[in-house]
Amino acid sequence: MTAALRPGTVTRYAVGSVGTGGFGTLPGLVLLYYLTDALAVPALVAGGVVTLAKVWDVVVNPLVGYASDRDLARTGSRRRLMVIGGFTIPLTFALTFAVPPGLDPWMSATWVFVAFVLTATAFSLFQVPYIALPVEIAPTYDDRTRLLAWRVAILAVAILAFGGGGPILRGDGDELWGYLRMGVVAGLVIGIGMLVAAGAAPRGPAQAVAPERQPVGVVIRGAARTARATLARSQAFRALFFAFVLQALGVGLLLAGAQYVATYLLESEAAVTLLFAALIAPALLTMPLWSAVTRRLGKERGFILATVLFAVATAAMIPVIWSPGPWIYGPTALAGIAYAGLQVLPLAMLPDVVEDDARRHGAGAGGAFSGLWTAGETAGMALGGTLLSLLLAATGFVPSAAGVDVTQPSSALLGIGIGFSVLPALLAAASLPILMRYRLRRGDFDRSELSQEASP
């Protein structure tokens, strides 16, 4: 029989969402705006900086997953990479927002690119093994839902704190010093959350003889083969993965567009804090509702329901294009209710996919799954910012330096509104046919758990 899930383990694991929430929210919210409206980097170049940095992240995540699986086999734990990432990210995160005053836009863009690549690498060292842990520390189908529900509850608090508090800590965006202050404080908090969560990684006996060191090229090819094989052999993972990536793309658009909506449509930079409060507070309050929905309908039906609700909510934001006003907080709150489900349910389904694969093909591939998952999530969130930057460039958005006010053409305002409403709604709707192909159900795991309990 497997050991029960302990409250201390749930707490330590959930605290890791302070790190994932901070890194997932703050760069998506302010990095593109930092480049275009504080460093005077053209929108197309700024989008390229964010995208190329995330492309590196997509490349490195499967490598980290491969290394994490080897760590587990060699030492019996995934903890080592998580600790390295937790200690490294405070410095690299602060450096991302430490561009010296007076640097020309191209040098500024290069500085941000290099620093953010280092930050993304540090985050990957933590995030990939972190996502692989639930199937190793939560023994049953319902335990994994409980573990991930607490994690997403902390994630919602973290998103609210970073999304609302980050801009407050930065100030009105007229001084580069405010961005640096934000980067230092946020980086420290993110790193502390990661290090606490590393304590949730179980320590066990080595599962295999320590593998010999291999040349970098061999490691890269091995990681690529493992990732391809993992994706090819699990239909459930493919359905869950591609649906989640499309939704991450929509959420990435929403996050990247919030600051522009606040500044240029609602005409108040401070309104971004209210937008985040409207999005995340309902998510936090309705988290128990999604757990109840899961128990009654199953994770897969709950995920479909959350996706439909998110599509409806973002479609209801479309009038912001021609009639911006405080009414936008209403559909944003509805999107927040859906957002809670979009976070907790796929993350609770991923360990089920890993367990199903372990039954069919043998254990030890959790890092490969989590590496692909993190790469897909990262790509989706990054391409959300890329799509917005392309939309801004195509509609004539005018970049500016810190402290310089500009008037945007009506075409740019139209682009901001479309990026915040129309595109997220379409992406959520497009994910539904893919999600409906997910085949795993509670009964598949109930039978397995009964079989384990009957074993001597």
Side-chain angles (χ1 to χ4, degrees):
M1 290 184 64
T2 52
L5 182 61
R6 297 178 179 177
T9 301
V10 173
T11 300
R12 287 191 296 273
Y13 185 78
V15 170
S17 283
V18 172
T20 59
F23 181 82
T25 301
L26 209 50
L29 177 64
V30 303
L31 190 58
L32 188 64
Y33 188 80
Y34 174 55
L35 286 161
T36 61
D37 282 57
L39 302 177
V41 176
L44 202 57
V45 177
V49 167
V50 176
T51 302
L52 288 175
K54 291 296 187 176
V55 166
W56 164 249
D57 206 14
V58 170
V59 171
V60 80
N61 280 328
L63 294 174
V64 174
Y66 184 76
S68 181
D69 283 341
R70 287 167 65 87
D71 257 7
L72 181 65
R74 186 175 62 250
T75 68
S77 179
R78 298 185 186 274
R79 187 171 302 190
R80 182 178 67 94
L81 295 180
M82 297 173 72
V83 170
I84 293 172
F87 274 117
T88 305
I89 203 165
L91 175 62
T92 59
F93 196 89
L95 283 174
T96 302
F97 297 98
V99 177
L103 215 59
D104 74 75
W106 283 98
M107 288 299 297
S108 297
T110 302
W111 177 296
V112 172
F113 171 74
V114 172
F116 195 56
V117 162
L118 294 174
T119 305
T121 303
F123 181 70
S124 294
L125 293 176
F126 168 82
Q127 179 75 349
V128 172
Y130 179 66
I131 289 180
L133 290 181
V135 74
E136 297 165 12
I137 61 181
T140 69
Y141 181 89
D142 288 325
D143 277 340
R144 290 190 286 273
T145 301
R146 179 162 67 93
L147 177 70
L148 271 301
W150 279 104
R151 179 201 159 181
V152 174
I154 299 298
L155 180 65
V157 174
I159 291 172
L160 180 60
F162 282 97
I168 292 174
L169 190 63
R170 174 201 63 187
D172 60 10
D174 286 343
E175 296 182 1
L176 294 180
W177 162 246
Y179 283 99
L180 177 58
R181 180 174 60 238
M182 178 192 70
V184 170
V185 174
L188 285 172
V189 175
I190 289 169
I192 291 170
M194 291 178 173
L195 292 173
V196 171
R203 294 182 184 272
Q207 300 172 9
V209 177
E212 296 180 359
R213 292 186 178 275
Q214 297 175 329
V216 173
V218 174
V219 171
I220 292 174
R221 288 193 295 272
R225 283 195 301 270
T226 301
R228 286 196 300 270
T230 300
L231 190 61
R233 73 186 181 222
S234 176
Q235 185 277 334
F237 180 72
R238 290 195 302 275
L240 185 63
F241 175 77
F242 288 117
F244 184 73
V245 168
L246 282 176
Q247 294 173 9
L249 183 56
V251 172
L253 273 164
L254 208 63
L255 288 175
Q259 181 71 75
Y260 293 94
V261 169
T263 302
Y264 297 109
L265 296 184
L266 302 179
E267 299 182 345
S268 169
E269 287 193 6
V272 71
T273 299
L274 296 177
L275 280 172
F276 256 82
L279 180 69
I280 304 304
L284 183 58
L285 293 173
T286 58
M287 196 67 63
L289 172 64
W290 288 111
S291 296
V293 167
T294 296
R295 288 191 296 271
R296 185 172 182 83
L297 299 180
K299 299 176 188 178
E300 70 289 341
R301 292 189 183 93
F303 192 16
I304 290 171
L305 178 61
T307 303
V308 171
L309 186 60
F310 185 80
V312 170
T314 48
M317 297 178 186
I318 291 175
V320 77
I321 296 171
W322 59 83
S323 182
W327 63 266
I328 191 67
Y329 301 123
T332 301
L334 187 63
I337 295 172
Y339 180 70
L342 296 185
Q343 289 296 304
V344 69
L345 296 173
L347 288 174
M349 293 160 73
L350 178 61
D352 297 338
V353 170
V354 176
E355 181 183 332
D356 177 69
D357 182 78
R359 289 203 309 257
R360 297 170 186 271
H361 304 287
F369 280 104
S370 63
L372 281 169
W373 184 268
T374 306
E377 180 180 22
T378 299
M381 295 291 285
L383 289 175
T386 302
L387 274 180
L388 183 62
S389 68
L390 290 172
L391 195 56
L392 293 178
T395 53
F397 181 85
V398 181
S400 63
V404 178
D405 293 327
V406 298
T407 299
Q408 298 295 342
S410 58
S411 58
L413 301 181
L414 175 64
I416 291 169
I418 290 174
F420 192 71
S421 59
V422 177
L423 293 183
L426 290 175
L427 288 163
S431 73
L432 282 169
I434 302 171
L435 182 55
M436 288 177 181
R437 298 183 62 194
Y438 181 84
R439 297 288 181 257
L440 294 180
R441 300 292 185 266
R442 176 191 291 274
D444 298 322
F445 300 93
D446 288 344
R447 288 190 293 271
S448 175
E449 288 160 13
L450 288 172
S451 175
Q452 289 179 16
E453 290 176 0
S455 300

